[in-house]
Amino acid sequence: MATEIEFEVNGGRQRVKEDGATPLLLALRNNLELRGTRHGCATGNCGACAVLVEGRPVTSCNTPVEAVAGLTVETIEGFERDAVGKALLGAFMNEQAGQCGYCLAGILIRAKAFLVNTKSPSRADIAEALDDHLCRCGAHHRILTAIERAANELSGGQAA
Amino acid sequence: MSAQTISPSLTDNPLCSDWLTFEADGRVTLKTGKVEIGQGILTALVQIAADELDISPDRFDVISGHTALGPVEAGTSSSLSIEVSGKAIRHAASAVRKLLLTEAGTLLQAEMSNLSVVDGAVHVGGRDSSLTLSSLASSVDLGQSVMEFASPKQPGERRLVGTSMPRIDLLHKAVGEHFIQNIALPGMRHGRIVQPPSGVRRLVTFDEAALASKFPDVTIVRNGSIVGVIAETEAVVIKAIELAAKLVTWNEPEPPPKNIFGTLRALDNAPEVTADKGDVAAVTGKKISLTVTKPYIAHASIAPSCAIATWTASDKIEVLSHTQSPHGLADGLGVVFGLDGMNDITVIHKPGAGTYGHSGQDDAALDAVLLAKSVPGVPVRVLWSRADDFQSSPAGCAMVVHAEGVLGDDGRIASISMESLSQPHAQRPGRGGFAEMTNAALLDPPLPVTPVSADVPPARGGGADRNATPLYAIPNVHVQKRILQKWPVRTSALRGLGGYANLYALEGLMDELAEAAGQCPVAFRVAHLEDKRAAYLIERVAEMAGWPGPSGEGEAIGVAVSQYKNKSAYSAVAVRVRLDEEVRLLNVYAAVDSGEAVNPDGIRNQIEGSIIQAASWTLKEALAIDGDRIATDGWDAYPILKFSEIPEIEVELVDRPELPSLGVGETAVGTTGAAIGNAVKRAIGLRLLDLPLTRDAIQAAINK
Ligand code: FES
Ligand code: FES
């Protein structure tokens, strides 16, 4: 049964008319036409679809859209609105961290939530924070380096 | 040199305008049949063209994998894009420059030697002439022969080639809606089919009424054993197809297939001998043999296969697909639907997530066309489920490899024999005028059965036998393969083909022979290498890794070296592992020689990625098979290497600007797997022969 569900996405108020059980992933991509969030496994196992809900990373493929009613959602489209997002994206490009790039949106989202809450993480801390994210291309090494680099920039250049 | 020897792509696309055109706004369109699959190929091709034309790379647009607008080239596979398309483009761009500058010389009444180009602007004697290459292009016929006018720059004159230009597409791929999975065409509907458990099953019953009553608004499509649905929204399609899958029954295959390794070991069809030198039977000495088994593995792309198809009112088909072979797919679809692949079907490549071979891309396209046919004029998008992608994509071959070496009394290798047993490694659509898509055989009327594939011939680097022939100078060598045909689990190309398993066996054998000879594995290899490029790399990587390093005590370094396909890029890999309950990768070092490096950082990226992927295969990956079908249905059942398991990686390139560029996407997969096997042997004294080297496998080996 379709109902009206209202929430905030990337700073703007949005309303979708959807069955409340429909995954947030599909509501974002199809109802709101924000297709930067990636459709991966759709079973909560790969991390490709991660978005921030109230600043916390969730896999949008197994989050019903009704669960975010009244809450704030950030997707990759809104990623660069703050300093952490800018630093991360810049670092990923500088390191050329990625190959096909499909996993990157979810990983960037996760990395942002992590860096907001963790100052000066070690490489091992970063790796552990990303363990729910899969990358088939083997871009892991560069992704870790890019996140280290962004963390370093954000802390004013003091290496972890 | 003839066009064919420079690049086969120039034989099929001989004109300058096949490769390059200029737009009125001054932008340049570069056209290639090769497609971006995450390897950075389009960036490298732009670098090559921009260098020859002296036009800044940011003025280029690329048409890639478009069967109507681009050149006809073979699919993107075998690490051949730089070698084939890159060379063609270099020659074409140089010919275009020559044609345009000749015209400039006439207009300006200047000697050719007095003309130069600065970012597309023609200079005379160092001064801007106000003519540009793109303005000249409007009055010059570019429909002229590349070979007649080509004169590529000398290596020393190139400015962009050899630099690590950033990828032209990476930002869009990180944050954008760049993928086929993200495309929404106007009026598009969503569809899926119930994937048959395997190609040997046939539909027995389908309760169509039950589906229709629950989902009155969906269009149900039936054809032979195929049941599909089309709906306005993706959410509805997902639910409808889940129900439909419960409303069908399938026949049980006869007779039930046996275990794949037993079947492979028992093959007694005539072997194909792919290398034979001296007489291995006549050799005497210390004999060492080992047999490696490698399970089926998945392409396991992060995005499931996807396609969008439109069947027009005038019976033309347009398909958006992440296929690696747009022309092959068009031909294959032509066979299925009785149309002319060349004229009635347009396939346009759109990027997907990395698949590293022939996964479900082409099959998803068939599904989409099949559904689109019942709603003419409406684009239909098919996105497989993750389970479909594991179960209905062709798998990477299961293999058995026998390796045997004889050590002579002089401490040198007297002979090596290799036998590779597997299914065919490449069964892409359109091959030999057949569809090569599983579901094509399940339609009504069924298509004629595809003849068996003879596997990839040695001239194209071989399939099951790829890299089975030792690179070493050995007096007696025998290499053969036996191909299992007509097996229900469908197989096709996955990164490196048979080379991965063959090198695991062959380079493992090299370490065993070195041990038997009482020699250091690195020195032993060097002593048997006449190929100086390979010898340099193995010594270099040993140095990088601090060889010989610790030995025993659960920690050790292993090494391996090869030349991909015995004719492409070289790699030597050293891996440092620690064994506690499982294999922990600490460091991986790679030394790589791929001739002239077009984009060094792009090459490093490919090598790093292939090391991690091959490490994942080696330590973790195996598809579960249940009779005729793949049982693995998700990531829980198919773990791949995680971030916290990633080793430190160091890659060193040997740049050889004077030598032709060689593709690097696959060269390090075999050497990585083999180096891990060799490191484990040196760490715990056990040679593990059955892949993958999981925690359970290690425990079982230790306890034996
Ligand atoms: S798509 Fe949501 S976790 Fe994979
Ligand atoms: S870059 Fe391709 S999946 Fe991560």
Side-chain angles (χ1 to χ4, degrees), chain A residues 25 38-49 59-61:
Chain A
L25 174 71
R38 308 289 152 84
H39 190 140
C41 61
T43 54
N45 297 103
C46 75
C49 65
T59 43
S60 63
C61 68

Side-chain angles (χ1 to χ4, degrees), chain B residues 428-443:
Chain B
R428 292 186 192 262
R431 177 182 65 87
F434 287 86
E436 286 281 26
M437 291 176 273
T438 305
N439 293 342
L442 277 67
L443 300 176

Side-chain angles (χ1 to χ4, degrees), chain B residues 75-234:
Chain B
T76 304
S77 64
S78 260
S79 301
L80 282 170
S81 299
I82 283 283
E83 294 167 41
V84 174
S85 204
K87 260 198 207 159
I89 285 168
R90 173 171 284 158
H91 282 76
S94 75
V96 167
R97 177 194 165 98
K98 175 104 157 261
L99 285 166
L100 297 177
L101 278 186
T102 305
E103 173 76 359
T106 310
L107 291 175
L108 298 167
Q109 299 190 334
E111 292 291 323
M112 278 290 267
S113 59
N114 210 12
L115 297 178
S116 58
V117 182
V118 179
D119 191 11
V122 179
H123 287 219
V124 191
R127 276 216 160 77
D128 195 340
S129 70
S130 86
L131 286 180
T132 64
L133 293 186
S134 60
S135 66
L136 289 161
S138 60
S139 56
V140 173
D141 177 15
L142 293 182
Q144 302 195 59
S145 155
V146 169
M147 288 311 294
E148 199 168 314
F149 298 98
S151 58
K153 291 182 176 177
Q154 293 305 306
E157 299 173 287
R158 295 176 193 144
R159 291 168 308 110
L160 284 167
V161 167
T163 66
S164 292
M165 190 172 114
R167 286 265 299 275
I168 56 179
D169 56 338
L170 193 60
L171 180 63
H172 308 292
K173 287 185 167 161
V175 302
E177 304 184 346
H178 200 75
F179 297 94
I180 175 121
Q181 287 84 0
N182 297 340
I183 294 172
L185 298 180
M188 183 176 87
R189 291 194 215 159
H190 299 265
R192 274 192 194 180
I193 70 158
V194 179
Q195 294 294 344
S198 83
V200 298
R201 302 285 190 111
R202 294 295 177 270
L203 187 76
V204 179
T205 62
F206 167 46
D207 187 349
E208 185 168 342
L211 184 64
S213 77
K214 187 80 203 293
F215 292 95
D217 297 333
V218 310
T219 305
I220 299 171
V221 179
R222 290 208 53 182
N223 185 333
S225 288
I226 303 299
V227 170
V229 299
I230 304 170
E232 293 292 328
T233 73
E234 193 174 14

Side-chain angles (χ1 to χ4, degrees), chain A residues 97-104 107 134-140 143, chain B residues 38 170 301-303 353-354 356:
Chain A
Q99 288 184 32
C100 78
Y102 203 84
C103 64
L104 293 182
I107 287 173
L134 303 180
C135 170
R136 189 47 162 172
C137 301
H140 308 70
I143 289 170
Chain B
L170 193 60
S301 179
I302 299 302
Y356 298 94

Side-chain angles (χ1 to χ4, degrees), chain A residues 5-16 23-29 32 34 36-37 49-61 63-82 109 112:
Chain A
I5 299 163
E6 216 177 280
F7 50 102
E8 195 186 299
V9 182
N10 302 328
R13 196 176 267 289
Q14 295 283 3
R15 182 177 297 186
V16 298
L24 174 60
L25 174 71
L26 297 186
L28 289 169
R29 288 169 52 89
L32 300 178
L34 292 170
T37 300
C49 65
V51 299
L52 299 179
V53 175
E54 297 291 316
R56 279 191 302 277
V58 303
T59 43
S60 63
C61 68
T63 302
V65 60
E66 66 193 0
V68 302
L71 304 181
T72 65
V73 176
E74 180 179 319
T75 69
I76 194 70
E77 285 86 353
F79 191 74
E80 274 192 284
R81 289 177 306 144
D82 57 38
I109 288 280
K112 180 188 259 194

